[in-house]
Amino acid sequence: MISTVAAADPSCAALEERLRAALGDAFRAETAADPHEPGGLSVSGLGGCTRRGAYALAAIGTPSSNGAVVEERRAAHLGTWIHSGLLPRLAQVLGGHTAVEHPVSVTSNGVTLAGRTDLATYALAPANTSSDSPSGGAPDNVVAEVGVVVMDVKTVTVSALSERRLEGPTRAHRLQVWGYAVGLEQAGHQVSHTVIIYMSRERGDLEVFVEEFGEAQRGAVHSRIARLLQWAACPDDAPRDTPAMAYDCPSCPFVSRCMGPDGVPTNEQPTVADPAVVTSIETAGLTYLRASAAEKAARNRKGLAKVELSRAPAPGRYGAVSVRWTKAGGIRVQLAEKPSGA
């Protein structure tokens, strides 16, 4: 969609179109350079959609294409780029024996899943002693006795962060970080705790969840893999775990197998018989979006005004307005009565 500003000047419109195309090409280039196999099951997907995991373990073929927008993988790459800047810096701050993007593999029930921890460190272990060893290396057995802390960072929206604060980490995220812990244990390390950090992409607000790692968490990983293998025998019958065409579905390599041909995302406009319906929906949609933007801006202005009003030394008239406090401690503002003769 060409912006209304650019549409007023053909040269601006052409430049905008070129930049949009270039941005899309940049995301697609990053996808092409990413060795991640979308049709495989890794430790990060262990707690995801059961049907997707079953398809992956059953070696079901990946559809040739799910549409250009999906191939850009914007959300995935944005999260990766945030990690690439934050995690090395966090490892530097934590210090000795802290590994970033440490490769692990989990073997269970005859299958092996690969993965990479966001961060694994001895610096936070309860019995850890100081170390002058450089950061960024793999965990080593010299200090394994004090216990490894496995950390995973999730970049989320403000609303999702609020939800996690209320409900705690998701089961899928727990299984993922527990899977990393199992992988490190199978490599000969002792894991003491797992940590999930949720961070808002918009403001950087965060919530940290720390959990001891033990037999229950270890057993949950092996049970999950066993369950996925059971479903792999009949993957089309496996539960989706998400509503049809949920947020993660368009990026799933098995979306057309799971949902049928109509489940493949495209860039095409919806087919509507009556053009008047398209126009009315478009008009209503634009009105809604503009009103939402104006409403947000008004709330921000109102909030700033309330801060200033709270500085009023006493209730009374201040020029054209009267200010008073309610019994509940709020502020009530009204236009003052007009002077006589006005």
Side-chain angles (χ1 to χ4, degrees), residues 36-286:
H36 174 68
E37 171 53 54
L41 180 65
S42 64
V43 179
S44 64
L46 188 60
C49 176
T50 297
R51 182 175 292 190
R52 177 170 179 167
Y55 279 141
L57 290 178
I60 300 297
T62 303
S64 59
S65 174
N66 282 338
V69 173
V70 175
E71 291 173 356
E72 290 180 10
R73 295 181 58 208
R74 296 184 185 185
H77 293 318
L78 289 173
T80 298
W81 292 336
I82 290 173
H83 280 55
S84 66
L86 174 64
L87 295 180
R89 183 66 68 185
L90 181 57
Q92 184 181 42
V93 171
L94 290 175
H97 301 294
T98 297
V100 176
E101 296 289 344
H102 183 58
V104 298
S105 61
V106 177
T107 300
S108 178
N109 296 276
V111 300
T112 298
L113 307 181
R116 289 180 298 182
T117 65
D118 275 0
L119 191 145
T121 181
Y122 294 98
L124 299 176
N128 190 38
T129 57
S130 61
S131 172
D132 296 327
S133 299
S135 63
D140 59 66
N141 290 320
V142 175
V143 292
E145 293 181 0
V146 303
V148 179
V149 176
V150 183
M151 304 172 64
D152 200 70
V153 179
K154 300 296 182 186
T155 52
V156 297
T157 62
V158 170
S159 60
L161 177 63
S162 178
E163 184 176 353
R164 298 281 62 82
R165 283 173 171 166
L166 287 171
E167 301 179 2
T170 67
R171 176 71 173 174
H173 292 162
R174 278 193 166 114
L175 279 168
Q176 179 183 351
V177 74
W178 294 345
Y180 295 146
V182 169
L184 284 172
E185 283 194 333
Q186 291 181 346
H189 305 288
Q190 178 181 330
V191 178
S192 63
H193 294 77
T194 58
V195 180
I196 300 177
I197 301 172
Y198 289 97
M199 185 179 67
S200 159
R201 286 189 291 267
E202 292 93 334
R203 294 192 290 231
D205 296 343
L206 54 84
E207 194 69 27
V208 180
F209 295 94
V210 181
E211 185 174 18
E212 290 187 356
F213 183 76
E215 189 58 39
Q217 291 75 23
R218 191 179 301 111
V221 173
H222 292 295
S223 295
R224 174 62 174 172
I225 294 174
R227 185 63 172 163
L228 287 174
L229 283 169
Q230 289 177 341
W231 281 117
C234 48
D236 290 320
D237 297 328
R240 291 191 178 100
D241 294 341
T242 56
M245 295 311 295
Y247 175 79
D248 291 335
C249 291
S251 62
C252 176
F254 308 109
V255 63
S256 61
R257 166 89 185 211
C258 177
M259 303 289 185
D262 293 339
V264 180
T266 69
N267 293 323
E268 297 177 1
Q269 295 294 325
T271 301
V272 180
D274 189 352
V277 173
V278 175
T279 301
S280 65
I281 295 297
E282 179 188 35
T283 300
L286 291 173

Side-chain angles (χ1 to χ4, degrees), residues 13 28 90 136 161 200 292 295 321:
R28 283 186 286 272
L90 181 57
L161 177 63
S200 159
S292 295
E295 182 181 32
V321 300

